[in-house]
Amino acid sequence: MEPGDAARLGPERVVRALPPRLLLLPLLPLLLGRGLRSAASASSSGAAAEDSSAMEELATEKEAEESHRQDSVSLLTFILLLTLTILTIWLFKHRRVRFLHETGLAMIYGLIVGVILRYGTTATSGHDKSLSCTQEDRAFSTLLVNVSGKFFEYTLKGEISPGKVNSVEQNDMLRKVTFDPEVFFNILLPPIIFHAGYSLKKRHFFRNLGSILAYAFLGTAVSCFIIGNLMYGVVKLMKIVGQLSDKFYYTDCLFFGAVISATDPVTVLAIFNELHADVDLYALLFGESVLNDAVAIVLSSSIVAYQPAGLNTHAFDAAAFFKSVGIFLGIFSGSFTMGAVTGVVTALVTKFTKLHCFPLLETALFFLMSWSTFLLAEACGFTGVVAVLFCGITQAHYTYYNLSVESRSRTKQLFEVLHFLAENFIFSYMGLALFTFQKHVFSPVFIIGAFVAIFLGRAAHIYPLSFFLNLGRRHKIGWNFQHMMMFSGLRGAMAFALAIRDTASYARQMMFTTTLLIVFFTVWIIGGGTTPMLSWLNIRVGVDPDQDPPPNNDSFQVLQGDGPDTARGNRTKQESAWLFRLWYSFDHNYLKPILTHSGPPLTTTLPAWCGLLARCLTSPQVYDNQEPLREEDSDFILTEGDLTLTYGDSTVTANGSSSSHAAPTSAEEVLERDLGMGEQKVSSRGTRLVFPLEDNA
């Protein structure tokens, strides 16, 4: 192209007409400058990104170290609380102070530490601005948030009311000492409940079995519905006076009735045990509290499962009601079966293996099998509390006698220590939670109504049932016993654990706060008044647990001799539950020989065609054991000296003496008449139980 052509074409056409290589030449300095600047910018931005990433990693490490330190401090706080509680308990026992129980001490120390943490520490973390997710119609349990290409995981803590968004607790230490409710159910409750079943005094428990079952099942249901209906009236009153700021349904009131019906007279029972109070009163209170916890937790689960059909999910529906009843029966029976089966499996394992040669392994297996019962029941949709309770009873009745001497002592002490620490930990946490829990709802009307409702519910629970039970009891439940049982309706660890398990809604938060205050009052006031109440009601103390009550018309049935000889005087027989008497023969003749090394040989109790099976299941120790009926924790109906067991042609008594076979006909007739069996024979193949009645003259 000539120079004149450039003027003729114009600047734009010149640029288009230029060859590509020539076109880039004038732009080369500009492009080179930009490239250098881009390279320098990229280099600087890369270095900045590396520095930012290093700073983030350093900040993350510092946060992890700080979180670990706070975890250690929170656990150390509870350990120091327990240590201080133990030292104070020793001081109280040394000074013979009984007005305050160890659980009350743990709660007081927890309150003090809660006040310090609440008002003596400053906020250590801040909250970023809240983000709105208007497109979602529900809250997700886990969120993945993309922040500048990096994904962060967030876990749901719970719902916060709009009025409390700006007052969310910003103290990390308070967050650390607030435990997940599942910790109470999966870690702290199992040793408490198992110890209750494992340390059960079967003799006095089974002697009052019918009354205990009535108080635990029927009484808890009555108490639940009375408290629930009274609290529904209180809620209606709160709505009228304008003190109810959110929804509170009838099912919520029934749930509160089930939760607060779980009695835990740990303070009263501890004082009873220390003073050696009347064994029958102790058995009634202890047995009721043990089974009552199991009934309360299943009852609360059944109420939660109540789901009527239709739009109004809180209206009464007969089909939903009977479904809930079926759920209650199914959960309770399934949990009972699972606990008993686990105990039976453990008994068989310890019987047919030689684990007793290795006490450490034996104790470890016993511990793991017992604890796994709770988790197995929860995993299968049943209730672990019921399962581990009956597992403990089964282990004490069968497995305990297969263990070596070292393992017996170890298991008793192990679960006793775990029970002590777990229970005092829970009561310490109760005191702490009054100031560290972030979702309290204090309602004076609801709290006062709850105190009145539990008093009336307990009265309707004890007095009418005692009246009907006395119609069929030989050993009557006296008025002083009834007043003491009414007074001993403390609330404790189980009510607290049930209340704290779900605090998502306004109603559940109010229930939790009220339950906490009720536990405080009953443990401090009622628990502290146990000793004066025993004295005021003239209840016997200093009683040997293995000693029978004194022979009087209130506690014994007088049986007159049939013969003309009146010199024999009155004959007495200690009362026992008819249900236990029907069960005892089957258990002694078949289950004990199968699951333990004691009892009569199965070759004498099973039919002849089961001879091979009987020889396989019968332990060789049975034939060598000359005192098969002697047990450390006797569950006999009578005292051991009163029991006679007949094998073939020889008679062996519980104290080891033997004689030729001679069945006292008069005693058998008395036993038949007492069991209400008329002309039916009281016998089983190969084994016969004879109960001679001693002379009181």
Side-chain angles (χ1 to χ4, degrees):
M1 185 174 63
E2 299 296 332
D5 295 336
R8 187 173 60 250
L9 292 174
E12 293 182 2
R13 293 185 180 181
V14 170
V15 174
R16 292 176 183 175
L18 288 175
R21 294 178 182 178
L22 296 177
L23 181 63
L24 292 175
L25 288 176
L27 301 178
L28 184 60
L30 179 63
L31 294 176
L32 183 59
R34 286 184 177 178
L36 292 175
R37 286 194 299 270
S38 299
S41 176
S43 176
S44 61
S45 63
E50 291 179 0
D51 293 341
S52 176
S53 177
M55 293 295 293
E56 288 181 1
E57 291 180 359
L58 184 61
T60 302
E61 290 178 0
K62 288 184 177 180
E63 289 180 359
E65 291 178 0
E66 181 65 19
S67 177
H68 174 72
R69 186 188 68 82
Q70 291 176 352
D71 288 336
S72 301
V73 171
S74 63
L75 292 177
L76 179 62
T77 301
F78 285 102
I79 290 177
L80 292 178
L81 280 175
L82 292 176
T83 304
L84 186 59
T85 302
I86 291 173
L87 293 176
T88 312
I89 291 170
W90 169 81
L91 181 62
F92 276 32
K93 289 183 178 294
H94 181 68
R95 299 293 181 181
R96 299 185 182 276
V97 176
R98 296 191 180 95
F99 68 88
L100 188 62
H101 187 248
E102 58 200 43
T103 54
L105 280 172
M107 294 173 70
I108 292 176
Y109 290 142
L111 279 172
I112 295 173
V113 174
V115 171
I116 295 174
L117 291 177
R118 182 71 178 182
Y119 302 106
T121 57
T122 58
T124 56
S125 67
H127 291 279
D128 297 329
K129 63 180 181 180
S130 59
L131 301 177
S132 299
C133 299
T134 56
Q135 297 179 354
E136 303 297 337
D137 57 353
R138 65 183 181 90
F140 295 93
S141 59
T142 304
L143 287 179
L144 292 178
V145 180
N146 185 352
V147 180
S148 301
K150 294 183 178 180
F151 289 90
F152 298 89
E153 181 181 0
Y154 293 85
T155 304
L156 178 67
K157 283 291 185 180
E159 182 182 1
I160 302 173
S161 60
K164 296 184 178 181
V165 172
N166 297 325
S167 62
V168 175
E169 185 55 57
Q170 299 184 17
N171 193 324
D172 282 342
M173 192 60 198
L174 293 184
R175 291 178 177 274
K176 292 293 183 181
V177 297
T178 303
F179 285 93
D180 187 339
E182 295 303 317
V183 172
F184 294 98
F185 268 83
N186 296 330
I187 298 178
L188 298 178
L189 275 184
I192 295 176
I193 303 300
F194 182 86
H195 178 263
Y198 194 52
S199 62
L200 185 69
K201 297 298 182 182
K202 296 186 293 294
R203 180 184 179 191
H204 303 291
F205 177 84
F206 286 110
R207 189 169 66 189
N208 298 278
L209 182 60
S211 301
I212 291 173
L213 292 177
Y215 285 128
F217 284 87
L218 187 58
T220 304
V222 169
S223 176
C224 169
F225 282 99
I226 288 179
I227 294 175
N229 283 279
L230 290 176
M231 293 311 299
Y232 188 64
V234 172
V235 169
K236 289 295 186 182
L237 177 63
M238 293 172 60
K239 188 174 182 180
I240 293 174
V241 299
Q243 292 194 9
L244 194 66
S245 59
D246 208 337
K247 297 178 181 178
F248 209 119
Y249 298 106
Y250 178 68
T251 51
D252 294 327
C253 296
L254 287 179
F255 178 81
F256 177 72
V259 167
I260 210 65
S261 294
T263 60
D264 186 17
V266 57
T267 305
V268 177
L269 293 175
I271 295 176
F272 277 16
N273 191 39
E274 185 177 353
L275 297 177
H276 299 289
D278 190 283
V279 289
D280 283 328
L281 177 60
Y282 183 92
L284 288 172
L285 274 175
F286 181 78
E288 181 209 356
S289 65
V290 167
L291 295 179
N292 165 273
D293 289 347
V295 174
I297 190 172
V298 179
L299 192 60
S300 62
S301 301
S302 303
I303 293 173
V304 172
Y306 177 78
Q307 294 293 337
L311 298 177
N312 190 357
T313 58
H314 294 277
F316 178 77
D317 187 349
F321 171 78
F322 286 109
K323 181 181 178 181
S324 296
V325 174
I327 291 174
F328 174 86
L329 297 176
I331 291 178
F332 196 94
S333 59
S335 303
F336 165 79
T337 303
M338 186 166 292
V341 168
T342 306
V344 167
V345 170
T346 311
L348 291 174
V349 171
T350 53
K351 176 183 177 181
F352 291 104
T353 61
K354 293 187 177 181
L355 277 173
H356 62 273
C357 299
F358 306 94
L360 178 61
L361 300 181
E362 190 178 36
T363 305
L365 178 67
F366 183 92
F367 175 81
L368 294 176
M369 291 291 290
S370 302
W371 200 306
S372 63
T373 305
F374 183 93
L375 302 177
L376 180 62
E378 292 288 336
C380 294
F382 297 110
T383 300
V385 170
V386 180
V388 78
L389 170 64
F390 287 101
C391 176
I393 295 175
T394 308
Q395 301 277 46
H397 194 60
Y398 300 113
T399 311
Y400 179 80
Y401 299 103
N402 296 337
L403 302 178
S404 61
V405 177
E406 295 88 346
S407 295
R408 292 184 186 184
S409 176
R410 286 178 178 178
T411 54
K412 286 281 188 182
Q413 294 176 359
L414 173 63
F415 281 101
E416 186 175 4
V417 171
L418 290 177
H419 163 263
F420 173 82
L421 293 177
E423 191 168 59
N424 282 278
F425 183 94
I426 291 179
F427 279 94
S428 298
Y429 185 79
M430 287 184 197
L432 202 69
L434 187 62
F435 292 97
T436 60
F437 189 71
Q438 304 173 27
K439 301 176 183 179
H440 281 304
V441 177
F442 290 94
S443 175
V445 177
F446 191 86
I447 293 171
I448 295 174
F451 274 99
V452 175
I454 63 172
F455 178 81
L456 296 177
R458 183 69 178 173
H461 172 178
I462 297 297
Y463 295 114
L465 273 181
S466 300
F467 171 77
F468 289 109
L469 289 172
N470 282 337
L471 297 179
R473 284 179 61 100
R474 302 186 186 93
H475 184 194
K476 308 299 182 185
I477 304 174
W479 284 106
N480 56 345
F481 279 22
Q482 296 179 40
H483 295 329
M484 194 66 215
M485 293 179 69
M486 170 71 189
F487 179 81
S488 304
L490 283 71
R491 270 64 177 177
M494 179 57 68
F496 172 79
L498 287 174
I500 200 176
R501 197 173 193 182
D502 182 6
T503 56
S505 65
Y506 168 82
R508 298 298 175 88
Q509 293 167 9
M510 186 183 295
M511 292 180 202
F512 172 72
T513 303
T514 306
T515 301
L516 201 57
L517 295 177
I518 291 173
V519 172
F520 285 167
F521 178 83
T522 56
V523 170
W524 287 340
I525 305 302
I526 299 180
T530 301
T531 304
M533 185 63 68
L534 284 172
S535 177
W536 184 63
L537 293 175
N538 295 321
I539 294 176
R540 296 188 307 152
V541 295
V543 180
D544 184 2
D546 296 325
Q547 181 182 359
D548 292 331
N552 55 51
N553 292 334
D554 291 334
S555 57
F556 284 83
Q557 179 191 25
V558 179
L559 302 177
Q560 302 294 338
D562 293 333
D565 185 10
T566 58
R568 295 189 302 175
N570 296 333
R571 302 177 182 271
T572 62
K573 177 182 179 299
Q574 189 178 14
E575 174 191 357
S576 59
W578 64 270
L579 185 62
F580 175 56
R581 286 180 287 177
L582 295 179
W583 155 261
Y584 181 80
S585 179
F586 175 78
D587 173 65
H588 179 76
N589 290 335
Y590 302 104
L591 295 184
K592 278 289 184 69
I594 293 175
L595 302 177
T596 68
H597 299 296
S598 62
L602 289 172
T603 52
T604 63
T605 59
L606 290 177
W609 55 271
C610 296
L612 179 61
L613 180 63
R615 286 190 294 271
C616 293
L617 294 178
T618 301
S619 174
Q621 288 90 326
V622 172
Y623 300 100
D624 301 333
N625 189 6
Q626 298 299 321
E627 298 181 4
L629 299 178
R630 186 179 297 278
E631 296 178 351
E632 295 178 5
D633 189 13
S634 177
D635 58 355
F636 296 138
I637 299 175
L638 298 182
T639 58
E640 292 182 358
D642 293 332
L643 185 61
T644 304
L645 185 64
T646 303
Y647 291 117
D649 296 331
S650 63
T651 300
V652 180
T653 61
N655 57 16
S657 61
S658 60
S659 62
S660 60
H661 173 48
T665 307
S666 60
E668 288 186 344
E669 291 175 354
V670 170
L671 178 60
E672 290 176 5
R673 183 175 65 253
D674 187 41
L675 292 174
M677 301 180 66
E679 298 296 327
Q680 298 180 8
K681 258 189 167 180
V682 185
S683 61
S684 59
R685 188 181 185 276
T687 303
R688 181 171 55 211
L689 294 176
V690 181
F691 296 89
L693 301 177
E694 294 182 356
D695 233 334
N696 289 332

